[in-house]
Amino acid sequence: MKQENTRHVLDRRQFLMRTGAAAAMLGFFPSVLRAQAQTAPKASEVVIGKDPRLLVHNTRTGVLETPLPLLREHKITPKELFFVRNNQVLAGGKTLEALPLAGWIIEIVGLVRRPARFEATELKKLPQQEVTMVLQCSGNGRSFYAKYAKKTSGTQWKHGGMGQTVWKGPKLKDVLEYFKVEVYEQAAKYLTANGRDLPSGTKPDFEHSLPWTDPYVRDNAILAIEMNGEPIPAVHGGPVRLVVPGYYGTMNVKWIGTLRFEAHETYNYNHTVRYRVPLYPVEPGKFSKSDYNFVNSRPSWHQKIKSVIFSPLDGETVKAGTVKVSGVAWNDGVVPIDQVEVSIDRGKTWQTAKLQAPDSPFGWTHWETYVALSAGEREIWVRAIDKLGRTQPLNGGIDWNPSGYEWNGADRITVKVS
Ligand SMILES: Nc1nc2c(c(=O)[nH]1)N[C@H]1C(S)=C(S)[C@@H](COP(=O)(O)O)O[C@H]1N2
Ligand SMILES: [Mo]
């Protein structure tokens, strides 16, 4: 009840700030709230334990971005710096504290011979699988659509809606075997995951379906109980999170409550309207997310190949001469990153960067190279190519889509060379 009150007060405060009436209305608030309203809350106030230097995109549910200068400092993104994307919130979940496995109930239902219902503590009894992987929001890089095509709605992420993390827990297929669930394989084509977080107001509950026919789901999905060697922080989906290496962040459903095996994908708004992209190019602004159907679009599942320049930073001033350029590249983990190429003449010629093998097929491939830069304003472009020949468009704007998902354009930065 206490929680409810706080939430409503905060919602109201946000609403007032947005309508610009905040100053006029402040007199009606108790002094403690007045003090809060005067300064935008820091990330550490939005989610307890987070680094105050994270960018705050949304205070109500908690949406935080890791600025590149902080992201590039660590091979494994520490929990204090790891981005947060909550569509809705688990009660008491906006903290880095862990929640107990005891008393947390998980159900596996649907097209199965024996539905299972168990306490999360059972997961500790099974063999544990560990995986290092890039967890990235499908909206990561969305702000670049504005630069190269047309602005889209949604959180205007730069590159920091991602991080590299280590997850650990039993494989879902081992859990199914342990509880003798027996999925009806002929009929069950999708696995739908639902968390215990609840929507506010009239919004539909958040859930997603994954293709059960994909070996990257069947064989690799884990019911994670640890992140970076510790129980999963509440805000990152603890005590139990569905982790599917190679898939976009949104499919890694937090706070797992129910797993359903089904013949079709869920019709949930978050899956059929949100978190989808068109199957063919659409003209910016001429197609809306309500135009999606199962034939002209697909869910945001496997991550697209991508590379990001960590150094130098966009807009940075560097000394003329030999400049080290470095960053990361990754894909869905189906095949390794084969090459990373850098151009300083806007794509006319490319030089090959040196690669460092990733910790896992789903992790970051670090790359670096040296370029010769003369004084002036200079552009540096990067693109990755994998063993299947998949690469990044030089102008990521061609993949414009109404919600601005799956940005994977060549990363293009401008530096001042002095
Ligand atoms: N239950 C639940 N799972 C969720 C979400 C959510 O709102 N609720 N957000 C999804 C989205 S869109 C992303 S990008 C990732 C973000 O994970 P993080 O907050 O741990 O960084 O969680 C996904 N899983
Ligand atoms: Mo996301």
Side-chain angles (χ1 to χ4, degrees), residues 57 63 65 85 87 136-161 250 273-277 289 300 306 396-397 399-409:
H57 285 298
V63 181
E65 172 162 4
R85 204 299 176 229
N87 289 274
Q136 178 193 207
C137 179
S138 331
N140 193 31
R142 177 183 285 128
S143 64
F144 303 115
Y145 282 111
K147 193 168 160 195
Y148 294 97
K150 189 178 181 5
K151 189 175 175 188
T152 73
S153 61
T155 303
Q156 294 300 304
W157 299 99
K158 291 182 181 130
H159 284 307
T250 194
V273 180
R274 300 184 71 214
Y275 295 102
R276 291 189 89 79
V277 291
K289 60 184 176 186
S300 196
K306 198 162 167 181
D399 286 323
W400 184 93
N401 59 90
S403 307
Y405 293 126
E406 302 191 359
W407 168 267
N408 84 326

Side-chain angles (χ1 to χ4, degrees), residues 39-311:
T39 48
K42 290 207 169 68
S44 46
E45 293 162 316
V46 176
V47 176
I48 308 304
K50 282 289 172 184
D51 190 299
R53 295 170 296 173
L54 298 190
L55 244 83
V56 178
H57 285 298
N58 180 311
T59 54
R60 187 180 58 81
T61 60
V63 181
L64 309 174
E65 172 162 4
T66 318
L68 266 197
L70 300 180
L71 189 65
R72 67 182 184 179
E73 275 177 23
H74 307 269
K75 230 179 138 183
I76 300 298
T77 315
K79 61 182 175 185
E80 293 80 8
L81 292 179
F82 192 53
F83 85 101
V84 175
R85 204 299 176 229
N86 284 341
N87 289 274
Q88 52 191 49
V89 213
L90 180 80
K94 285 161 80 180
T95 171
L96 285 187
E97 294 290 314
L99 296 170
L101 289 168
W104 187 270
I105 302 297
I106 295 174
E107 288 186 303
I108 303 178
V109 297
L111 296 168
V112 299
R113 183 177 295 276
R114 274 175 294 272
R117 187 187 151 85
F118 58 92
E119 199 181 31
T121 44
E122 296 278 314
L123 297 173
K124 288 193 117 167
K125 297 182 187 160
L126 289 153
Q128 304 290 303
Q129 177 74 28
E130 192 176 83
V131 64
T132 300
M133 58 177 240
V134 180
L135 189 87
Q136 178 193 207
C137 179
S138 331
N140 193 31
R142 177 183 285 128
S143 64
F144 303 115
Y145 282 111
K147 193 168 160 195
Y148 294 97
K150 189 178 181 5
K151 189 175 175 188
T152 73
S153 61
T155 303
Q156 294 300 304
W157 299 99
K158 291 182 181 130
H159 284 307
M162 68 159 169
Q164 177 162 260
T165 37
V166 184
W167 300 89
K168 195 172 167 184
K171 284 196 171 191
L172 174 59
K173 65 175 184 185
D174 291 341
V175 175
L176 297 176
E177 210 182 284
Y178 180 77
F179 290 106
K180 302 189 169 52
V181 170
E182 273 186 54
V183 176
Y184 290 125
E185 299 292 352
Q186 292 297 317
K189 298 297 174 218
Y190 297 93
L191 165 68
T192 300
N194 189 293
R196 293 199 177 282
D197 48 336
L198 294 171
S200 57
T202 54
K203 283 193 171 173
D205 192 15
F206 180 90
E207 66 177 27
H208 275 303
S209 297
L210 293 140
W212 187 239
T213 46
D214 180 1
Y216 284 79
V217 177
R218 298 172 69 101
D219 297 337
N220 298 349
I222 60 178
L223 286 183
I225 51 177
E226 276 186 23
M227 174 181 141
N228 297 354
E230 288 179 78
I232 306 175
V235 74
H236 294 304
V240 183
R241 179 173 194 165
L242 178 68
V243 165
V244 188
Y247 273 62
Y248 277 106
T250 194
M251 300 295 160
N252 292 257
V253 176
K254 308 197 258 193
W255 309 299
I256 285 300
T258 310
L259 295 171
R260 311 195 305 266
F261 284 92
E262 296 176 316
H264 57 78
E265 293 172 56
T266 173
Y267 298 127
N268 184 291
Y269 182 80
N270 290 295
H271 190 75
T272 53
V273 180
R274 300 184 71 214
Y275 295 102
R276 291 189 89 79
V277 291
L279 281 171
Y280 49 81
V282 297
E283 204 183 319
K286 294 278 162 61
F287 189 94
S288 94
K289 60 184 176 186
S290 55
D291 293 328
Y292 286 137
N293 55 45
F294 283 141
V295 176
N296 67 12
S297 67
R298 62 165 175 82
S300 196
W301 281 333
H302 277 237
Q303 288 185 77
K304 284 200 205 161
I305 185 169
K306 198 162 167 181
S307 56
V308 170
I309 302 171
F310 274 1
S311 179

Side-chain angles (χ1 to χ4, degrees), residues 21-39:
M25 299 298 283
L26 279 176
F28 294 94
F29 286 96
S31 62
V32 72
L33 280 181
R34 201 181 311 149
Q36 276 181 16
Q38 276 158 2
T39 48

Side-chain angles (χ1 to χ4, degrees), residues 67-72 159 308-318 323-326 378 380 411-416:
L68 266 197
L70 300 180
L71 189 65
R72 67 182 184 179
H159 284 307
V308 170
I309 302 171
F310 274 1
S311 179
L313 294 168
D314 190 32
E316 197 174 326
T317 302
V318 296
V323 176
K324 182 177 170 178
V325 184
S326 62
R378 301 280 170 246
I380 305 174
D411 198 18
R412 292 156 60 161
I413 63 159
T414 305
V415 291
K416 292 178 201 92

